Amino acid sequence: MALKYDYFLFDFDGTIADTGEGIRKSVAWCLEQLGKPALDTSVLDRFIGPPLHDSFEKYCGMTQEESERAISVYRRRYTDIGLYESRLYPGIAMLLRALHTGGSWVAIASAKPRFMLEKLAAYYGIDKYLDAIVGIGEGRHSSDKRDLILAALPEGAQPARAVMVGDRLYDIEAARSLGLGSVGADYGYSLPGELADAGADAVFDDVPALAAHLLGGDGPRGLFISMEGSDGCGKSTQIALLRDYLERRGFEVVLTREPGGCPISERVREVILSLDSKGMSSECEALLYAASRVEHVRKVIEPALKCGKIVICDRFLDSSIAYQAYGRELGEDFVRQINAPAVRHAAPQLTLLLELDRAESRRRMAQGAPLDRLEIEKEDFFARVQAGYDALAQAEPGRIRRIDASKSIEAVFDEIAREVERLLAGR
Ligand code: TYD
């Protein structure tokens, strides 16, 4: 769908990231070092966004010379510590990804020093979505927002096809005076009414509303990652590491599992896996997995994807293909058919297949929890399950990525992170 704009410029502090804590603490520390009176938090908040020297002059009564010195003291703490006392606003990473992968120009135009913006963009992994990062320094000393905006646009860009998103009146006023669209991020550090009074075209209280406005429709859809692998392959450990990795990058993550993942499906899980269910027919087993899946997709996976979250699911349809179609020899057609209602709306974009040879898998299982009904199956069953995974991986090498799970936890995770980065970059 064609968007209203081709060029999307974002302020950083208070728009992309909540950098408040680091800035407040570093200003307070700087004033203490200089023997100046302390400021209230509400005044410290005013330092977030505008050029620092303006704020030191306005709120601490400093001369231009004094404010220059204050900035150099401030940076002693901010550059190493304060920079990382920040977090991306929930949903912003997915918005930047959606704009970038959709072919739009995405840039930062901020009065922060450029080297800091670059460090933060790399730290949060959003650098891959940015066509330009414009801040001050490296020959650019003007912190006039209009100069920053102009530098963040590619040559020949029509201002009317560009929009500036920011949380302070400086952003809005500069955008308007250059003929760009202007959108206010009211979740940042604006004062009540500041952005509307400055004449913003639209003002939003949270990132999902902003994203829906910029992208049209419902905002960005999330991403679905499933994890597959033999018993004892270390899936749970890697899933927990992946969640932390993605959350640090500002994504909202939903961790879930199959069979299970929601109350009804967890009850079905008990029926399927219980040793009391010995003798269950293969068809009944396959249908129960499919039943638990359709409920899980409707109640958990689909709603999470709809609001732009990343779903990491411990096993999904591929398990049914490997275990029921191949292991139980029910055939792929039957298993795909009964799972059609579940996967119609939700299919993983990336499946990480953690591979471990059977002897090692058995050794690891022997050290773990008591075995369930599936785990006590005979060796020829597991050989067929493995053949199922091999066939799937061969048929869909782009989606199903094989990971050697015999390596160390760190080495396995490095491989997983590489695959996930490819997905995040939209490659
Ligand atoms: P679980 O304890 O979650 O195993 P793991 O830790 O190995 O993931 O039990 C799930 C079992 O169910 C596992 O042996 C694989 C099997 N299974 C199927 O046979 N078909 C399916 O569709 C799914 C999701 C799982």
Side-chain angles (χ1 to χ4, degrees):
M1 193 182 71
L3 302 182
K4 196 169 161 200
Y5 302 103
D6 300 320
Y7 311 100
F8 294 82
L9 310 189
F10 291 82
D11 172 45
F12 192 80
D13 293 342
T15 301
I16 287 183
D18 182 353
T19 48
E21 184 188 340
I23 295 176
R24 277 193 298 267
K25 285 186 175 165
S26 302
V27 171
W29 181 84
C30 158
L31 295 176
E32 200 183 305
Q33 298 296 307
L34 295 171
K36 299 273 183 197
L39 295 175
D40 274 357
T41 307
S42 61
V43 183
L44 291 174
D45 275 351
R46 300 295 95 220
F47 281 73
I48 305 163
L52 274 177
H53 64 84
D54 282 357
S55 304
F56 278 120
E57 287 162 31
K58 192 162 165 190
Y59 303 113
C60 307
M62 293 186 184
T63 62
Q64 201 182 346
E65 221 167 86
E66 284 172 323
S67 78
E68 298 282 324
R69 170 155 160 65
I71 289 173
S72 74
V73 172
Y74 166 92
R75 292 223 175 121
R76 291 218 301 268
R77 183 184 184 282
Y78 189 72
T79 310
D80 294 330
I81 304 169
L83 211 53
Y84 305 103
E85 292 167 329
S86 59
R87 62 176 186 104
L88 294 190
Y89 286 106
I92 204 85
M94 203 55 98
L95 167 61
L96 298 178
R97 179 184 186 276
L99 290 170
H100 170 80
T101 55
S104 298
W105 176 272
V106 186
I108 290 176
S110 157
K112 225 176 172 66
R114 180 156 185 257
F115 82 93
M116 290 186 188
L117 293 168
E118 283 180 342
K119 265 189 176 186
L120 282 167
Y123 177 69
Y124 287 118
I126 56 170
D127 47 349
K128 56 185 166 291
Y129 308 135
L130 298 170
D131 296 289
I133 297 180
V134 175
I136 52 174
E138 290 160 46
R140 178 185 314 285
H141 298 296
S142 165
S143 54
D144 183 328
K145 198 82 196 197
R146 283 181 311 180
D147 294 339
L148 298 167
I149 289 177
L150 290 174
L153 287 172
E155 219 170 293
Q158 276 179 40
R161 298 293 307 158
V163 63
M164 174 74 208
V165 184
D167 73 318
R168 299 304 308 273
L169 75 130
Y170 309 87
D171 302 308
I172 306 302
E173 284 174 349
R176 294 189 61 203
S177 77
L178 291 168
L180 274 74
S182 62
V183 170
D186 229 4
Y187 51 82
Y189 288 90
S190 52
L191 294 168
E194 173 178 332
L195 300 169
D197 292 348
D201 299 336
V203 175
F204 299 98
D205 286 340
D206 57 29
V207 177
L210 168 70
H213 175 79
L214 295 180
L215 291 165
D218 292 336
R221 190 171 161 81
L223 295 168
F224 185 5
I225 301 173
S226 65
M227 289 273 213
E228 297 282 348
S230 51
D231 305 277
C233 66
K235 257 189 300 128
S236 318
T237 309
Q238 295 297 334
I239 285 175
L241 289 172
L242 181 56
R243 180 197 31 210
D244 294 350
Y245 179 87
L246 290 169
E247 284 183 347
R248 189 167 76 74
R249 280 168 167 62
F251 291 102
E252 295 173 285
V253 178
V254 171
L255 243 185
T256 188
R257 69 165 180 184
E258 292 210 338
C262 60
I264 292 175
S265 305
E266 286 291 333
R267 297 220 299 275
V268 178
R269 174 189 174 92
E270 276 172 39
V271 174
I272 305 178
L273 297 181
S274 165
L275 292 176
D276 294 342
S277 303
K278 263 192 205 158
M280 178 188 284
S281 70
S282 299
E283 285 81 0
C284 174
E285 179 183 290
L287 286 160
L288 286 176
Y289 277 116
S292 95
R293 181 162 300 126
V294 74
E295 184 70 6
H296 183 216
V297 167
R298 296 257 165 91
K299 298 285 164 61
V300 177
I301 297 179
E302 180 57 19
L305 294 175
K306 238 180 151 177
C307 47
K309 296 182 181 171
I310 298 186
V311 174
I312 307 174
C313 191
D314 184 345
R315 298 190 180 276
F316 195 66
L317 175 65
D318 299 307
S319 280
S320 280
I321 303 294
Y323 284 77
Q324 280 68 51
Y326 282 78
R328 301 285 187 219
E329 300 182 295
L330 290 173
E332 234 182 291
D333 287 350
F334 172 71
V335 174
R336 289 204 184 273
Q337 201 182 345
I338 60 176
N339 278 283
V343 298
R344 193 168 297 140
H345 303 294
Q349 281 101 352
L350 170 66
T351 297
L352 298 158
L353 174 56
L354 271 59
E355 296 190 303
L356 199 59
D357 72 59
R358 183 66 195 145
E360 177 62 10
S361 163
R362 275 197 359 230
R363 197 186 61 75
R364 292 192 192 179
M365 261 200 309
Q367 298 167 343
L371 303 185
D372 63 36
R373 193 177 59 84
L374 274 275
E375 288 164 342
I376 58 169
E377 275 298 328
K378 303 210 174 56
E379 280 312 304
D380 54 345
F381 172 78
F382 289 106
R384 290 195 298 275
V385 169
Q386 185 54 50
Y389 277 126
D390 287 342
L392 283 165
Q394 264 175 27
E396 290 185 71
R399 170 177 70 88
I400 302 180
R401 309 296 294 173
R402 309 179 93 137
I403 310 279
D404 176 359
S406 68
K407 297 187 187 157
S408 69
I409 291 178
E410 295 75 21
V412 172
F413 188 71
D414 280 351
E415 260 192 70
I416 288 181
R418 245 198 318 277
E419 295 298 342
V420 170
E421 280 300 328
R422 261 172 27 117
L423 173 71
L424 293 178
R427 274 181 266 135

